[in-house]
Amino acid sequence: DSGVTQTPKHLITATGQRVTLRCSPRSGDLSVYWYQQSLDQGLQFLIQYYNGEERAKGNILERFSAQQFPDLHSELNLSSLELGDSALYFCASSRSGLPYPYGELFFGEGSRLTVL
Amino acid sequence: GENVEQHPSTLSVQEGDSAVIKCTYSDSASNYFPWYKQELGKRPQLIIDIRSNVGEKKDQRIAVTLNKTAKHFSLHITETQPEDSAVYFCAASVESGGSNYKLTFGKGTLLTVNP
């Protein structure tokens, strides 16, 4: 158990719909990261938050948005869903917002999104 | 931005043999290189990492080497065991200020250790 909690574990929805994925980081971790994992693309970095503020952005689509709340939990919102958005979405957390000395990312179990 | 290439995409070895996975990165400013292991249906977990001021690091049966000039780093697993079977991801990150941490992963290597 990494200490990172993601909900829901599985989600099935239709094209055009909107979903929200939730993440609670490990106790004491200030930084949250969202990754998308698909079979052909591996782990794609979407976005990083540190103590409530956006700090790094990757290949996140404009249809996707995220935020980190004062209690440090984070939500990833996916809208106007397309078939290609079907993937496993991982949230991870780390103690600091830097790779060293506390750069280990602790991943949650993931939220599997299926868009039909 | 950073681009990490990983090879091979699949690797099959006999139990007891060694396995080597290689990665290259594009951003010469990258200075932190972790490796994550993801067992089937599980979450990725850190197994070893190396910083750019170190050329090699070992932890029991696993080791990582880094060649900054060639922008190349490798994972070496010796005396492989069936429980080493998993997908291995290399990654690279630039250590910069402002709590900005973007870890770019390779596409992964599926390692199968045959008993």
Side-chain angles (χ1 to χ4, degrees):
Chain A
D1 182 7
S2 66
V4 178
T5 303
Q6 286 188 249
T7 57
K9 286 186 167 48
H10 300 276
L11 191 56
I12 301 174
T13 189
T15 55
Q17 294 299 305
R18 172 190 171 94
V19 298
T20 297
L21 310 181
R22 182 187 168 97
C23 170
S24 293
R26 288 189 324 155
S27 176
D29 284 0
L30 297 177
S31 201
V32 168
Y33 312 80
W34 286 97
Y35 280 86
Q36 179 190 57
Q37 185 173 41
S38 56
L39 281 176
D40 58 342
Q41 292 297 320
L43 282 163
Q44 292 282 308
F45 172 74
L46 297 179
I47 199 162
Q48 177 211 3
Y49 281 85
Y50 177 78
N51 204 20
E53 295 185 3
E54 180 186 311
R55 289 303 175 95
K57 213 165 186 177
N59 300 322
I60 187 167
L61 299 172
E62 285 191 9
R63 300 183 286 109
F64 295 1
S65 65
Q67 55 183 329
Q68 185 180 31
F69 295 88
D71 67 352
L72 301 179
H73 91 271
S74 178
E75 292 181 356
L76 178 66
N77 300 295
L78 315 176
S79 61
S80 302
L81 286 168
E82 302 175 358
L83 296 178
D85 297 328
S86 295
L88 185 57
Y89 291 84
F90 280 108
C91 169
S93 72
S94 69
R95 184 62 48 86
S96 72
L98 295 171
Y100 191 82
Y102 302 111
E104 178 174 359
L105 297 191
F106 294 88
F107 284 82
E109 299 294 332
S111 293
R112 182 167 295 283
L113 173 66
T114 302
V115 182
L116 300 177
Chain B
E2 175 67 278
N3 182 49
V4 178
E5 298 283 342
Q6 182 171 349
H7 299 279
S9 57
T10 61
L11 179 59
S12 181
V13 300
Q14 290 299 122
E15 184 176 358
D17 288 351
S18 295
V20 180
I21 302 170
K22 300 181 179 182
C23 290
T24 59
Y25 59 98
S26 61
D27 190 341
S28 57
S30 288
N31 52 15
Y32 174 66
F33 307 92
W35 288 85
Y36 282 76
K37 175 183 179 183
Q38 185 178 25
E39 297 178 1
L40 184 63
K42 301 286 184 63
R43 57 189 171 85
Q45 291 185 275
L46 178 71
I47 55 171
I48 194 168
D49 58 9
I50 191 169
R51 298 182 73 199
S52 60
N53 58 351
V54 176
E56 182 176 1
K57 184 176 179 181
K58 287 185 180 180
D59 183 3
Q60 299 182 334
R61 295 187 296 107
I62 60 173
V64 57
T65 58
L66 172 65
N67 182 330
K68 284 182 62 179
T69 303
K71 291 189 283 188
H72 169 276
F73 58 114
S74 300
L75 177 72
H76 304 252
I77 306 174
T78 59
E79 300 173 16
T80 54
Q81 301 168 3
E83 51 264 40
D84 294 330
S85 296
V87 177
Y88 291 81
F89 291 96
C90 63
S93 174
V94 176
E95 197 173 307
S96 60
S99 299
N100 177 308
Y101 181 14
K102 180 179 175 181
L103 193 59
T104 301
F105 285 86
K107 291 191 176 183
T109 296
L110 173 61
L111 172 65
T112 303
V113 180
N114 302 299

